[in-house]
Amino acid sequence: MSEDGNDRLSAEIEHLDEHGYVVLKGVLAPDEVQAILARLDELYEREGPRAGEFGWGLLRERYLESSPLKLALLDGLYRVLEFGLLGLFKVLPVTLGPFRRFRSMPYDYAQATPWRRELRQMVICIVEKLDEPSDRRLCDLANKGEVFDGIYTHPRVLPLAEHLLGSDIKLSSLNVRSPKKDGPMQAMHVDFPFRIQPGKVYGCNALFALEPMDAGNGATRVVPGTHLSGLRPEDGMADPRADHPDQVVVEADAGDVLLVNSQVWHGGTVNTSGRSRTLMQCYFTHAAHAPQQYQELQLRDEVRARLGPLALRLLNAAPE
């Protein structure tokens, strides 16, 4: 790394340690941003009513290429299941908890039959949409295109993640979120939901801005310094959806990255303008913790074949 690069990294680390977040300018070039946005458009089209699911639907992808009738029937089955589960959750809210836990359980895709895998993905997609119905989402991007291979290994981002977590880290998830117009304010939250000792770090989220982000289109708000408190927003705020007197609404250009310590209080704001605000969420955690997406069990063979040792290690998918 050049001397200028070392100076920049030192300044970024200092800001991150003091405030709990830092904005990295110009991480992605304009052509890289456009290539990612183009791929996201393709994925929204390919995933249809199930856009946003964790993992991947092998049957649906097969029917996309081979059988419009079977594709329509499969998507019809999804809509029936969605109607039934949403009705169940409304009548018996207590049933939602087990489904949320089911979503986060490890699952070996390679050992499952196509239909068992497909039904599981349908259920997960329904629960994901229920949690944030006003957002446009895509998940499991590590499995969904070469344009994402360099995101979680990016040399501007990885040193900061390793500074917080140590070198023994892994990618927990790689998703995209964009709030629709006039959706609800996202509650202030931390990404590791349990009380911990001040100064401890269990994860960090690198938020790649793929479009300009400002106060009008749902920019992320952060409360500087709260990562040192050992508290969660619900411990110090009567209403975590309300504005906090010390919050900073972070503005960024396309290609910038907002990197947040998992313990700093943060959350999305309301998109009042209707302009698209797409953030790619690259969440790292220590290797000892369970990931949101178990890539060692669900990584596609063609993805595994093209990745290098660093990427495979970060996906916890390196050969034994």
Side-chain angles (χ1 to χ4, degrees), residues 131-153:
D131 284 346
E132 292 184 319
S134 66
D135 293 345
R136 198 176 187 217
R137 295 169 60 91
L138 285 169
C139 299
D140 192 31
L141 297 180
N143 263 317
K144 296 181 178 177
E146 288 188 57
V147 292
F148 306 114
D149 292 353
I151 296 301
Y152 51 92
T153 61

Side-chain angles (χ1 to χ4, degrees), residues 11-88:
E12 291 167 348
I13 287 175
E14 182 178 357
H15 195 282
L16 179 62
D17 287 345
E18 179 178 356
H19 300 286
Y21 77 98
V22 65
V23 177
L24 315 179
K25 302 298 291 184
V27 172
L28 296 179
D31 60 329
E32 293 176 302
V33 171
Q34 290 306 310
I36 292 171
L37 288 173
R39 178 57 179 164
L40 295 179
D41 286 341
E42 292 175 0
L43 290 171
Y44 282 121
E45 182 69 24
R46 290 185 68 85
E47 296 186 11
R50 286 162 53 184
E53 67 181 343
F54 279 32
W56 43 280
L58 183 61
L59 283 180
R60 192 175 194 284
E61 290 204 347
R62 184 182 302 163
Y63 295 158
L64 268 170
E65 307 297 337
S66 65
S67 177
L69 176 59
K70 289 181 179 179
L71 178 64
L73 290 173
L74 188 67
D75 286 345
L77 174 62
Y78 168 79
R79 290 187 173 94
V80 169
L81 183 62
E82 182 179 42
F83 179 81
L85 283 180
L86 292 180
L88 174 65

Side-chain angles (χ1 to χ4, degrees), residues 212-220 249-252 269-273 275 277:
M213 180 173 75
D214 56 46
N217 67 348
T220 302
V249 178
V250 179
E251 297 193 351
T269 58
V270 177
N271 184 345
T272 57
S273 70
R275 288 181 288 107
R277 191 279 283 147

Side-chain angles (χ1 to χ4, degrees), residues 16 20-24 156-157 160-161 164 204-207 257-261 284:
L16 179 62
Y21 77 98
V22 65
V23 177
L24 315 179
R156 288 281 306 279
V157 171
L160 291 169
L164 290 175
C204 66
N205 211 345
L207 307 176
V257 171
L258 166 61
L259 192 139
V260 294
N261 182 316
F284 296 97

Side-chain angles (χ1 to χ4, degrees), residues 65-278:
E65 307 297 337
S66 65
S67 177
L69 176 59
K70 289 181 179 179
L71 178 64
L73 290 173
L74 188 67
D75 286 345
L77 174 62
Y78 168 79
R79 290 187 173 94
V80 169
L81 183 62
E82 182 179 42
F83 179 81
L85 283 180
L86 292 180
L88 174 65
F89 299 151
K90 186 175 181 179
V91 174
L92 294 172
V94 69
T95 60
L96 182 55
F99 278 93
R100 284 196 172 114
R101 289 191 290 274
F102 168 78
R103 171 187 59 183
S104 61
M105 293 171 60
Y107 191 78
D108 191 340
Y109 284 72
Q111 300 301 317
T113 64
W115 271 106
R116 287 183 63 185
R117 180 171 54 210
E118 206 76 18
L119 287 171
R120 181 179 187 274
Q121 292 311 112
M122 290 181 184
V123 170
I124 288 175
C125 187
I126 293 164
V127 175
E128 286 296 315
K129 288 183 176 181
L130 184 67
D131 284 346
E132 292 184 319
S134 66
D135 293 345
R136 198 176 187 217
R137 295 169 60 91
L138 285 169
C139 299
D140 192 31
L141 297 180
N143 263 317
K144 296 181 178 177
E146 288 188 57
V147 292
F148 306 114
D149 292 353
I151 296 301
Y152 51 92
T153 61
H154 201 287
R156 288 281 306 279
V157 171
L158 196 55
L160 291 169
E162 291 180 332
H163 167 73
L164 290 175
L165 300 169
S167 60
D168 192 14
I169 65 173
K170 64 186 174 186
L171 180 73
S172 180
S173 59
L174 186 61
N175 305 326
V176 153
R177 174 180 177 266
S178 182
K180 297 178 182 176
K181 188 176 188 299
D182 294 330
M185 176 84 85
Q186 187 184 38
M188 200 76 78
H189 63 281
V190 294
D191 290 330
F192 192 85
F194 308 105
R195 279 194 187 90
I196 61 170
Q197 296 177 2
K200 291 284 188 178
V201 186
Y202 288 88
C204 66
N205 211 345
L207 307 176
F208 286 73
L210 301 177
E211 294 165 312
M213 180 173 75
D214 56 46
N217 67 348
T220 302
R221 56 188 178 134
V222 178
V223 184
T226 46
H227 63 301
L228 301 175
S229 69
L231 301 175
R232 303 164 301 179
E234 54 266 38
D235 301 322
M237 297 179 68
D239 179 8
R241 292 187 184 274
D243 286 334
H244 189 284
D246 298 324
Q247 74 183 29
V248 173
V249 178
V250 179
E251 297 193 351
D253 297 319
D256 294 348
V257 171
L258 166 61
L259 192 139
V260 294
N261 182 316
S262 65
Q263 295 311 118
V264 78
W265 300 4
H266 64 282
T269 58
V270 177
N271 184 345
T272 57
S273 70
R275 288 181 288 107
S276 179
R277 191 279 283 147
T278 302

